[in-house]
Amino acid sequence: MSTDALDRHAPAQSGIDRALGLLDGFREHIEHVQPTLTGLPVLWVRRERIVEILRHLKAPPASFSMLYDLSAVDERLRAHRDGLPAADFTVFYHLLSVDRNEDLIIKVALTGGDPNLPSVTRVFANANWYEREIWDLFGITATGHPHLQRLLMPPTWHGHPLRKDYPARATEFDPYTLTVEGQQTEQEALKFEPEAWGMQRERDGSEFMFLNLGPNHPSAHGAFRIVLQLDGEEIIDCVPDIGYHHRGAEKMAERQTWHSFIPYTDRIDYTGGVMNNLPYVLAVEKLAGIEVPDRVKTVRVMMAEMFRISSHLLFLGTYLQDLGAMSPVFYSFTDRQRAYKVIEGITGFRMHPAWYRIGGLAQDLPVGWQQLVQEFLDWMPPRLREYELAMMRNALVRERTRHVAAFTTTEALEWGVTGPNLRATGCNFDLRKQRPYSGYENFDFEVPLGQHGDVFDRGQLRIEEMRQSLRIIQQCVDHMPAGDYKADHPLTTPPPRERMLQHIETLITHFLQVSWGPVLKPGESLQMVEATKGINSYYLTSDGNNMSYRTRIRTPSFPHLQQIPSLMRGGFVPDMIAHLGSIDFVMADVDR
Amino acid sequence: MPYRLTRAEEEQESSDRYPMGRRQSSEEYVKSQLERNVFTGKLSDVLNSAVNWGRKNSLWPYNFGLSCCYVEMTTAFTSPHDIARFGSEVIRASPRQADFMVIAGTCFIKMAPVIQQLYDQMLEPKWVISMGSCANSGGMYDIYSVVQGVDKFLPVDVYVAGCPPRPEAFLQALQLLQDSIQEERRPLSWVVGDQGVYKAEMGSQREQKRSQRIEATELRTPDKL
């Protein structure tokens, strides 16, 4: 880790001091202050007092009101631990304070064959799924957890896939077979047992109906299952069940090179395209110490905003379809086709261009791109006006969505809700403004806010966001900086081709970097971006290799789904469908 | 029986004497009409062909999607691509009403028993299109949670390459499925013929088009639109 790179991304010493000051009463429990490239203070604390520490940090004056992320690292094979406390596994809690726009990462070292730590679900409600996830994938027990069961893997699964001694490839196991008996066993295991979730089967002599919605349901937007406990049409309680779309992206990152993992990021939020590349390449660039030219930053912003529009258009069509309106999807997909014309013209692919590179872009903008983008910019505003008139001002839509599935900012923060869904509650937290990255500070745009945090506001706000994205893209077209599309840095991948044609030395270097991929120095970095559906971040741990030691992908849709039961208790089934439409989630963004 | 034939409109002969027209005796009339109207082929071929024609032109897709490919599949349903041109716009939310299922996306080990269940709930005749690399073979995802190709447990009729395939590719797959259905032989009734389902070997498009594809010598550079 070069010292200048550390300086540039290191949290201001004041941040660390403030964090230490907030934890003054727990000073003897702080084991280590870890220097990282995350830009955040990272404190290692002792396991015994973790619940008290987090409770203290959540309350004023610290006011870290959101548990932004919680996951673990299998430390057993990590070679470069430079002064870190001894650990077989590490659990980290990423806390976020929206008021102060400040973060803090708390890490806990676990040793021994049966790693466990106290559950923090009593402090942060949304720790529930995260703790189930680390039990499922790492075998780390959160003692005192109300329902510690597998979350992503099937209930019949053996082993904990994210442990380093667990094989990654499907081809390392016996080929998959499905027998009649196996089919019955699996279906039996999927059967819902209300008692296991502390639910009653009847009340006052009348039986509840348990409705299994999913894992394949037209309004569930993918492989998502939710079991509803119904009294008539009223939802008494519900249990979301996820993991039907777990593609093991985090494990995949541990065997792909830094470079060849880029296409996998596209497929996390699969409607977000290159928007997913952005946090990943930015985090890798922090590790590598690459500063990209202004042109690269601007092109990245332009394409990311194109995908925000394309994703929001998909949202708009399906959201209204879930409310029962059949036509809007035909309009919005026509617009998406226009957007894809631009995206395909520039990147060469529609949904998953994988177009950003470490230290730059796959290629420069093609000749004539301005006109292509301008056509789209001229096409969209009248369409958006029409959508607003025909759909959002429609009396039926308004009646159907006003004050439905509404939540407040406090509730949103409690459940880790970010992005448009958080801003619909009136909370002004947009990372493009609060923590500008990739040159967003140079753009003139507004952050649309809602008031009521209901289904209507979530829809209306996204139309407004599309307008702002169009504004940003227009500024990119008008003021595109000249310059190179790749950074002049030895770790830029793939390296500029002209460089390899000098002599045999440059050829060998080029060959190694393309075939093996770049080798990054040990360190940890993190990048959060305001993605299409909320805050998406990549927390990378490098062990000085050509691939990541651990890649933690924090996706916005995961907490959004976890919030559903708290919101829908007492609601009606059609309201839940409306809410599902308004969340804007894709399952790959939940299960990764 | 001998007939007398008088043509209604015939070239006027030189004679202008009534009655006009030339009369001739013919015994071939009935015989020729018989040959023209009585079908001497196999009735089952005609019936099969008619039934297949009906089936292939009103294929109802099952509204089933797994991942990214489903977005491109849905794109094929909407106006710019308009799947109604091929008679497949009637999307069914219930497997019992659907004719074919598109495995549009990654097939997960957790999802496989569910997919099998849904497939079992579809009524015969039914077909499966495997859309995208994941469904074809696992694709990019050689990972613990992914079944390496949906054909590990489902019979697949058409494979569509791509990650994800374009909507046009999906539409082509639909047409290939239609071609294959036209050639199928299924029992016309539970009492007619043997009860097997015969499917034609349609051959891979890659091999059929190889010679045409390798003729391309100049590829467009990505530097301009």
Side-chain angles (χ1 to χ4, degrees), chain A residues 171 242 246 264 344 350, chain B residues 72 110 140 142 145 166 223:
Chain A
T171 44
I242 62 169
H246 176 60
Y264 289 93
E344 202 182 350
R350 284 162 63 93
Chain B
E72 289 296 61
K110 192 170 180 179
M140 296 164 69
D142 180 4
S145 58
R166 305 173 63 90
D223 304 337

Side-chain angles (χ1 to χ4, degrees), chain A residues 171-190:
Chain A
T171 44
E172 287 173 65
F173 299 86
D174 290 335
Y176 180 81
T177 49
L178 185 63
T179 58
V180 175
E181 191 192 354
Q183 161 82 351
Q184 275 164 358
T185 318
E186 293 295 329
Q187 288 290 347
E188 209 52 46
L190 287 179

Side-chain angles (χ1 to χ4, degrees), chain A residues 66-103:
Chain A
M66 186 195 287
L67 176 67
Y68 169 78
D69 196 12
L70 190 175
S71 191
V73 185
D74 182 348
E75 301 267 358
R76 291 174 297 176
L77 299 182
R78 189 166 170 186
H80 299 89
R81 301 197 69 251
D82 315 319
L84 299 180
D88 289 331
F89 292 91
T90 312
V91 174
F92 66 87
Y93 304 81
H94 184 158
L95 308 179
L96 192 148
S97 163
V98 168
D99 302 338
R100 286 181 292 117
N101 189 21
E102 226 175 49
D103 291 16

